[in-house]
Amino acid sequence: MSKDIRLKKGLNINLQGEADKVYASIPRSQNFSIKPTDFHALTPKMVVKEGDKVKAGTCLFFDKYDERIRFSSPVSGEVTEIVRGAKRRIMEVKIAADSEVSYESFSLDAKASREQVIKGLLDSGVWPFIRQKPFDTIANPSDNPKAIFISTFDTAPLAPDNDFVLHGLDKEFQVGIEVIKKLTDGKVHLNVDGNTNPSKVFTDCKGVEINKISGSHPAGNVGVQVHHIDPINKGDVVWYLYPQDVLTIARLFTDGKYDVSRIVALTGSQVERPRYYRTISGASISNMISENSIKDGSNRFISGNVLTGTQISADGCIGFYDSQITVIPEGNEQEFLGWIAPGLQKFSMSKSYFSWLTPAKKYNLNTNYNGEERAYVVTGQYEKVLPMDIYPMQLVKACMIEDIDAMEQLGIYEVSAEDMALCEFVCTSKMEVQSIIREGLDLVKKECS
């Protein structure tokens, strides 16, 4: 039965630089990159070497501990460099694209059995788009999840509007859903934004349970939705993926191609004309940056949003799971009077600054922490921004002291690092909450394996 959930806790961070709902045309990027670091806990085993020619869909590397999970090239071209870090860890596989993309051919049938569908997803390299909770890792193909979740909206700062991105793609989205339904004996939950009128692409979708979620960020996070719709207990597994990933699956089964085309929003206060771009996963952002205008000054480029994204260079590449690029100013300048100033231009969830008098105002925030790590004090701030029935501060402390029993009792299986991003943002003690939770999850997973 569909649910209508209204969350009272949370926090929307209004930033300048929301993308206008227009598409800009840019030449296809010549440089692409696949980063094993985008996949948590992955140990890659290379299949190709520098100088090899590849097609879109050719396997570049696979998981050393599960050879079934493969990672494919997004375009055809030549492998130009395999970047290694400390202890020869593989950090990045760079590809120079051909002028025309040629594809590996996959013969798949959407009406095939569950086992055949899974094999097709694994062989083509599409499988890594499917992730699991708990632990936020690539889904284990041997599991049978109790449910699959798809969040059709993102409430993170300046996040792309999926109603706009998937407009007119009803049939393609439904094809993807029909394939995904084969992966579970349970329900496929399609969660739509209860704050707006969602697109018919989602509301007219067949064979899924449509739930309405209303509230502030992180209402759009899958972890929060799972907590309120079908909570995870020890031993449970749910899978999840993003709406644009559903289209990738649909194209694989209709066209027989590994086509990871996607629409990316270029956002942020430092972007002169924030807008949407049609590109391919893993593409360099240099063409977007050159087509647009970035304001002068020291800027930070982020693949993803400001709360959970990854810093990249101005000619860096889009992350595997990202559909947003954010550009904001670096916070490396001294402020006159510091915290003593009235702070009319500063965002605050409390009433520390007079800016609370203008709640709809949009802010130009930089990367400054506005403080440094200090004594970990109880403030009650976490509980105001996390719409989950858990004790977040106690959970963070349990992770810090590596008390696995306490972590389990406090709900470690239900949270992920991104769900706790707002806790980190509002933390008076400047604790790196997301890293602490990630380490806690890794510890529990190690003990469970």
Side-chain angles (χ1 to χ4, degrees), residues 274-290:
R275 54 183 66 183
Y276 290 83
Y277 295 85
R278 300 179 194 279
T279 184
I280 299 175
S281 178
S284 168
I285 66 170
S286 56
N287 283 353
M288 288 188 216
I289 301 302
S290 57

Side-chain angles (χ1 to χ4, degrees), residues 104-403:
E104 298 279 3
S105 179
F106 300 97
S107 181
L108 299 171
D109 183 1
K111 297 180 181 177
S113 66
R114 180 177 188 271
E115 289 71 24
Q116 290 171 322
V117 167
I118 290 176
K119 186 175 186 306
L121 294 171
L122 288 166
D123 292 345
S124 61
V126 171
W127 186 263
F129 285 110
I130 304 173
R131 288 178 285 175
Q132 73 166 50
K133 287 186 181 293
F135 308 129
D136 281 315
T137 56
I138 295 171
N140 183 348
S142 301
D143 288 340
N144 190 350
K146 69 171 184 173
I148 296 178
F149 282 76
I150 302 168
S151 177
T152 65
F153 65 107
D154 190 344
T155 48
L158 303 176
D161 183 350
N162 283 323
D163 289 350
F164 173 72
V165 169
L166 274 75
H167 179 72
L169 297 174
D170 314 47
K171 293 182 179 177
E172 206 170 0
F173 190 77
Q174 185 66 52
V175 169
I177 291 293
E178 294 300 325
V179 175
I180 290 167
K181 282 163 56 181
K182 290 181 175 292
L183 302 179
T184 178
D185 296 331
K187 297 177 181 176
V188 175
H189 292 277
L190 191 66
N191 302 323
V192 300
D193 188 357
N195 299 313
T196 62
N197 291 321
S199 168
K200 290 186 177 179
V201 175
F202 307 124
T203 55
D204 289 350
C205 197
K206 305 290 190 301
V208 296
E209 187 158 296
I210 299 175
N211 306 294
K212 280 189 177 181
I213 316 290
S214 308
S216 305
H217 185 63
N221 285 13
V222 168
V224 173
Q225 296 169 1
V226 171
H227 175 80
H228 289 279
I229 295 170
D230 192 3
I232 300 174
N233 296 310
K234 187 175 183 179
D236 289 343
V237 174
V238 300
W239 291 353
Y240 68 97
L241 63 167
Y242 295 146
Q244 293 205 59
D245 304 338
V246 178
L247 301 182
T248 300
I249 292 174
R251 290 191 286 263
L252 174 67
F253 280 82
T254 53
D255 304 333
K257 297 190 298 189
Y258 180 79
D259 183 353
V260 285
S261 301
R262 61 182 50 215
I263 293 169
V264 173
L266 179 61
T267 65
S269 59
Q270 293 302 93
V271 181
E272 292 283 1
R273 301 187 303 277
R275 54 183 66 183
Y276 290 83
Y277 295 85
R278 300 179 194 279
T279 184
I280 299 175
S281 178
S284 168
I285 66 170
S286 56
N287 283 353
M288 288 188 216
I289 301 302
S290 57
E291 188 275 339
N292 215 303
S293 297
I294 304 299
K295 296 176 184 175
D296 293 336
S298 179
N299 296 318
R300 179 170 295 190
F301 296 83
I302 301 168
S303 179
N305 65 68
V306 293
L307 292 175
T308 61
T310 305
Q311 183 177 1
I312 59 175
S313 61
D315 60 351
C317 295
I318 304 164
F320 188 82
Y321 296 109
D322 296 329
S323 56
Q324 177 185 4
I325 301 296
T326 310
V327 188
I328 59 173
E330 287 283 5
N332 48 12
E333 297 175 357
Q334 294 288 333
E335 291 184 39
F336 180 64
L337 295 180
W339 61 269
I340 302 176
L344 295 174
Q345 304 302 322
K346 289 185 176 181
F347 177 86
S348 174
M349 71 167 286
S350 64
K351 296 182 179 178
S352 303
Y353 300 112
F354 288 113
S355 57
W356 70 272
L357 295 169
T358 53
K361 183 177 180 178
K362 295 188 175 182
Y363 296 85
N364 178 15
L365 302 187
N366 59 34
T367 62
N368 200 324
Y369 269 35
N370 296 310
E372 57 189 4
E373 188 173 322
R374 60 201 71 164
Y376 200 18
V377 295
V378 177
T379 61
Q381 293 169 321
Y382 291 6
E383 289 78 3
K384 293 179 182 176
V385 298
L386 182 67
M388 301 174 79
D389 188 21
I390 63 173
Y391 297 103
M393 178 164 279
Q394 286 82 351
L395 177 58
V396 171
K397 288 183 175 179
C399 293
M400 293 171 74
I401 61 173
E402 300 184 351
D403 186 338

